[in-house]
Amino acid sequence: MISSLGAAGFTLYAQGLWSALFFQFLIGFGLGGTYMPGLKALTDHLEGRAQSRATAFYTASFGLGSSISIVVCGKLGAVFGWQWAFAYGAIGRCWPRC
């Protein structure tokens, strides 16, 4: 949710370096609050080979998903402007909760 607020804030209110930096910080803070706790929750409930496979799948999926998101946002930004790229990021981060 914090990442969504950061992306939405970036879309609507970023006007220079400091405001953009603040909203980018919120995006990163939200990301950090999901990746490692999610990995910990996953590994706490599994053991042995299942834990190893799940960890590999989780990290690979996270990296792949992040890469696809960057490509899509880049294409949206090139066609519609940077605000739409961040709007897409805000919606994607909160979907389906928003």
Side-chain angles (χ1 to χ4, degrees), residues 15-22:
Q15 295 296 319
L17 174 65
W18 295 109
S19 59
L21 187 64
F22 172 73

Side-chain angles (χ1 to χ4, degrees), residues 3-13 27 69 72-74 76-77 80-95 98:
S3 289
S4 294
L5 292 174
F10 203 111
T11 301
L12 300 170
Y13 303 114
I27 293 169
S69 177
V72 170
C73 285
L76 284 172
F80 299 108
W82 65 266
Q83 292 91 345
W84 283 103
F86 277 91
Y88 165 79
I91 293 166
R93 284 182 173 87
C94 74
W95 184 264
C98 51

Side-chain angles (χ1 to χ4, degrees), residues 6 19 26 38 48 52 67 70 96:
S19 59
L26 289 179
S52 176
S67 297
I70 290 169

